[in-house]
Amino acid sequence: MEEVDKIIIHSLKDVGCDIDDEIKSLQQFTTELVVEAAVKCLDVIVTPKLGLPTSLPQSMSARFRLGTTIAEACLELGYNGEMGYQTFLYPSEAELRKIFVFLIEKLPKDSDKGTSQDDDGVLTLRQQIGECLKASLARPWVRSRGAVEYIPFLAEPLETGISLPGQKRDCTPQAWRDYCVNELPFVHEQLKVRQLLAPSLLVENACGLVGGGGANSLVSTPTGPSGVAACWGGREATNHRPQNMSWLAVREKLVHRSENLRAKSEPPKSEQMQKSMDSHVEAEADAKSEEQRMEEERVAIEQLREKIDELKTLSKTLNAKLVNIGKETEKEVEIAKARKRDSEMRQKTVDLLPDSDANIAKLEAMLQASVQRMITLAEKWEKHRAPLIESYREARKRIASRNTESVRQQETTREMREKLRELADQLRNKETFQTRLQEDIEKLPKDIVTRPAYTRRIMEIIGNIRKQKEDIDKIVKDTKQLQKDINNESGKLERSFTVADDLIFRDAKRDESSKKAYIMLAKLHSEFGELVAMVEENGAIVREIRDLEEQVSDIIIEY
């Protein structure tokens, strides 16, 4: 990638980009340089030129518009990929490489030669300037008195943007403030001759502080005061400041002059009226100036808010970039440390190369000594190791036995807890049963019958049960016999039907009456089968009725 970056940087220099020789890769490109390179490439590619600025504007909204315009122009040229204003305002190395390769491929081939020649001339000029600067810096500095004596102390008028009392402008205060903030050049840029900066600043400051003296009395030059007087004469023509007055002196003089004029021009009778009119005018002027000042402050506050919002957005972006740069710096530091260790190792190896045989012998001797020392240490360690291992094994056995005993105790404790829980449940059930029996005992009548009566009653019940059992056995025997007879008769009936069916079916093939008899036989058999089924269902229903009656009687007896 370094070779690709070198080719890209060389191509951008051919286009006319001002890239320092210290920049070797796209990672070192700033946002201003990225925008400048993209705009100059588009100016060469697109005809007619887009007219985009090569430097970033101050406003963030203007920066966003510039980045969006550049991105749209690249997309119109056929760039495949995602691109927006963030691609140029917050670039990454990979995206820049891809975009500049695309733009360089789109550059016309005709201008390569001429641009290279111009670039060679610029490089030659830079080399010559650098050589001259080096030579001048190498020479010792000697003060030249003669040169200092003939430099005159001249001053030129400077505009600081400060309005003096009583001074009028051809524009509103807000327009003058915008002009001073955005367009008024610095004081060192207002002078054509740089040597006049210090005298001009001294005169500017002295005229604001000293009152009553002229500008000529502030300076003393070998050439006389004519240059200063001429200078301040031009200054009066431009209506920047009164010639010989400080700010306080000018204000007092104007007030005193206005009072004298009013006293001479107006009669004494109208003095009170004039004062009232002056106070009214001054009140109106103060009110207007106060409203104007508040309006100006409101506009200034709105502008400050917009700038604060822009600065917040820029701060967030810069913080994100700072985090990324910190991570990349950490990575680079790790890589640098690894390379430093590698280089130190190589340097030591290179230092040993001139006397390789002796160094190899020394290394072998050191190796043998290290091996012998390791063997000695191993023997000593073995002597200390044996008792330590034995102690370790005994400790492990003790711990294992303790663990086994603790596990067994835990198991025993768990079983005992289970048993205690079961015994508690049994005790709770028995207490409940005891409580119920106690309640039943309390419900029994007080006049308890004697034991012989209970015995006689029990014997009677047993006799009745025995008699009922005999009756039940007899009924069961009769039922079995009846079921057996029913089964025999059912078998005989089924066999008789089969024989009759076979005989009639044979004759039904030849005789029409036999066919009718066969049909009637089949119908009779089915109807009798239905009749038997109905009888069985009727018997089942009767049994169910009997069971329900018994259950009803039992319920009635319980209640």
Side-chain angles (χ1 to χ4, degrees):
M1 292 300 175
E2 294 180 358
E3 296 296 330
V4 176
D5 292 348
K6 289 180 181 179
I7 295 172
I8 292 173
I9 292 171
H10 181 71
S11 301
L12 294 177
K13 287 181 178 179
D14 292 342
V15 173
C17 298
D18 188 10
I19 302 175
D20 295 337
D21 296 337
E22 298 177 355
I23 297 176
K24 301 297 182 182
S25 63
L26 297 180
Q27 189 178 3
Q28 301 174 349
F29 272 40
T30 60
T31 305
E32 291 80 2
L33 187 56
V34 170
V35 172
E36 179 186 358
V39 170
K40 289 189 176 181
C41 289
L42 291 174
D43 289 341
V44 177
I45 296 170
V46 180
T47 304
K49 295 183 179 180
L50 299 176
L52 299 175
T54 57
S55 60
L56 284 175
Q58 296 293 331
S59 176
M60 289 300 297
S61 59
R63 291 187 178 187
F64 292 155
R65 287 195 296 270
L66 178 60
T68 304
T69 306
I70 296 173
E72 291 176 354
C74 293
L75 292 174
E76 289 178 358
L77 291 176
Y79 179 77
N80 295 326
E82 297 181 357
M83 182 182 293
Y85 67 88
Q86 72 279 357
T87 308
F88 298 95
L89 297 182
Y90 315 112
S92 62
E93 186 178 358
E95 291 179 352
L96 284 183
R97 188 176 291 109
K98 187 176 179 182
I99 292 168
F100 283 135
V101 167
F102 170 76
L103 292 175
I104 290 169
E105 290 178 354
K106 293 291 184 178
L107 289 175
K109 305 300 181 181
D110 301 337
S111 61
D112 291 346
K113 184 175 180 181
T115 308
S116 300
Q117 292 177 357
D118 296 340
D119 187 57
D120 293 340
V122 173
L123 291 176
T124 304
L125 180 60
R126 286 182 178 178
Q127 291 177 358
Q128 292 176 357
I129 293 172
E131 291 176 357
C132 292
L133 289 175
K134 288 180 181 179
S136 61
L137 291 174
R139 292 193 300 268
W141 179 76
V142 179
R143 181 176 179 182
S144 177
R145 297 182 179 179
V148 176
E149 292 176 357
Y150 292 98
I151 295 177
F153 190 94
L154 299 178
E156 290 187 2
L158 298 175
E159 180 58 68
T160 60
I162 300 174
S163 298
L164 296 174
Q167 185 177 358
K168 296 182 180 180
R169 304 283 183 182
D170 295 336
C171 57
T172 61
Q174 181 63 31
W176 176 252
R177 181 180 296 174
D178 294 339
Y179 168 76
C180 294
V181 172
N182 299 323
E183 299 181 8
L184 181 63
F186 294 102
V187 291
H188 67 276
E189 296 177 354
Q190 297 178 14
L191 301 175
K192 296 181 180 180
V193 182
R194 301 298 295 271
Q195 288 81 359
L196 302 180
L197 178 60
S200 300
L201 290 174
L202 292 173
V203 172
E204 182 75 18
N205 187 40
C207 289
L209 296 176
V210 180
N216 297 335
S217 64
L218 298 176
V219 294
S220 177
T221 62
T223 58
S226 58
V228 178
C231 175
W232 284 111
R235 189 179 180 88
E236 290 174 358
T238 58
N239 194 19
H240 282 290
R241 178 182 294 170
Q243 181 177 358
N244 298 327
M245 298 291 176
S246 64
W247 300 339
L248 297 176
V250 169
R251 182 176 179 278
E252 292 176 357
K253 186 173 182 179
L254 291 174
V255 172
H256 183 67
R257 184 181 299 173
S258 62
E259 291 177 355
N260 293 334
L261 290 175
R262 284 198 302 270
K264 292 179 180 179
S265 60
E266 296 179 1
K269 295 180 180 181
S270 63
E271 183 176 356
Q272 188 69 23
M273 186 182 297
Q274 184 66 28
K275 287 183 180 180
S276 62
M277 292 178 62
D278 291 342
S279 62
H280 181 67
V281 171
E282 289 178 358
E284 290 181 354
D286 292 340
K288 290 182 180 179
S289 62
E290 184 67 19
E291 292 178 357
Q292 187 176 5
R293 185 179 64 80
M294 292 177 65
E295 183 66 21
E296 292 175 358
E297 289 180 354
R298 187 183 64 79
V299 174
I301 289 170
E302 293 295 331
Q303 292 178 355
L304 287 175
R305 286 178 180 175
E306 294 178 357
K307 291 183 179 179
I308 288 170
D309 295 336
E310 294 177 358
L311 291 174
K312 285 181 178 179
T313 305
L314 182 61
S315 176
K316 292 180 181 179
T317 307
L318 292 176
N319 287 332
K321 293 177 69 177
L322 183 61
V323 172
N324 296 329
I325 291 171
K327 294 179 180 178
E328 294 177 357
T329 304
E330 291 178 357
K331 293 180 181 178
E332 293 294 334
V333 168
E334 294 296 331
I335 294 172
K337 289 181 179 179
R339 290 180 177 175
K340 184 178 180 181
R341 289 193 296 268
D342 191 11
S343 63
E344 289 177 355
M345 183 64 68
R346 291 182 179 180
Q347 184 63 36
K348 291 180 180 179
T349 306
V350 170
D351 294 338
L352 294 175
L353 286 177
D355 194 4
S356 59
D357 296 335
N359 291 325
I360 290 171
K362 290 180 181 179
L363 289 174
E364 289 178 353
M366 293 173 65
L367 182 61
Q368 291 296 331
S370 300
V371 170
Q372 189 64 30
R373 188 165 56 254
M374 287 294 294
I375 293 171
T376 304
L377 292 174
E379 292 176 353
K380 292 181 180 180
W381 168 244
E382 193 64 30
K383 292 178 182 179
H384 291 284
R385 179 174 172 272
L388 292 174
I389 290 176
E390 188 66 26
S391 302
Y392 173 71
R393 289 174 180 172
E394 292 177 358
R396 286 193 63 180
K397 288 179 181 179
R398 288 195 301 270
I399 292 170
S401 62
R402 289 178 183 175
N403 291 335
T404 306
E405 183 66 22
S406 64
V407 169
R408 187 180 62 79
Q409 291 179 359
Q410 289 177 2
E411 187 68 22
T412 305
T413 306
R414 187 179 61 79
E415 292 177 357
M416 290 178 66
R417 287 178 180 175
E418 291 292 334
K419 289 181 180 179
L420 288 173
R421 191 178 295 108
E422 293 176 359
L423 291 173
D425 294 338
Q426 292 177 5
L427 180 61
R428 194 180 301 107
N429 294 330
K430 288 182 179 180
E431 289 177 352
T432 306
F433 184 67
Q434 181 184 359
T435 305
R436 189 170 65 250
L437 290 177
Q438 188 69 28
E439 292 175 356
D440 294 340
I441 290 170
E442 291 176 356
K443 290 179 181 178
L444 290 175
K446 303 297 182 180
D447 50 347
I448 301 175
V449 186
T450 59
R451 182 175 179 181
Y454 277 111
T455 304
R456 187 172 57 254
R457 181 72 180 272
I458 290 169
M459 293 304 294
E460 290 176 359
I461 292 171
I462 291 171
N464 293 331
I465 291 172
R466 188 181 293 111
K467 189 183 293 185
Q468 289 177 3
K469 184 178 181 183
E470 290 175 356
D471 295 339
I472 290 170
D473 292 339
K474 187 177 180 180
I475 291 170
V476 169
K477 186 176 181 181
D478 294 340
T479 302
K480 289 181 179 180
Q481 185 64 33
L482 182 60
Q483 186 67 35
K484 186 176 181 181
D485 294 340
I486 291 171
N487 291 335
N488 291 332
E489 294 298 328
S490 297
K492 289 179 182 180
L493 180 62
E494 191 69 29
R495 288 192 296 272
S496 299
F497 175 74
T498 303
V499 173
D501 189 356
D502 189 18
L503 293 174
I504 295 171
F505 183 73
R506 290 177 184 175
D507 295 336
K509 294 179 180 180
R510 298 184 299 272
D511 190 3
E512 187 66 27
S513 59
S514 298
K515 185 182 293 185
K516 292 180 180 180
Y518 179 76
I519 294 171
M520 293 179 67
L521 178 64
K523 187 176 180 182
L524 182 65
H525 182 70
S526 63
E527 288 179 355
F528 272 99
E530 293 177 357
L531 182 60
V532 171
M534 291 177 66
V535 171
E536 291 178 352
E537 290 178 358
N538 190 12
I541 291 170
V542 171
R543 288 194 299 272
E544 290 179 0
I545 292 170
R546 191 181 297 114
D547 294 336
L548 292 172
E549 289 177 352
E550 291 177 356
Q551 292 178 4
V552 170
S553 63
D554 293 338
I555 292 171
I556 292 172
I557 290 170
E558 288 179 358
Y559 284 102

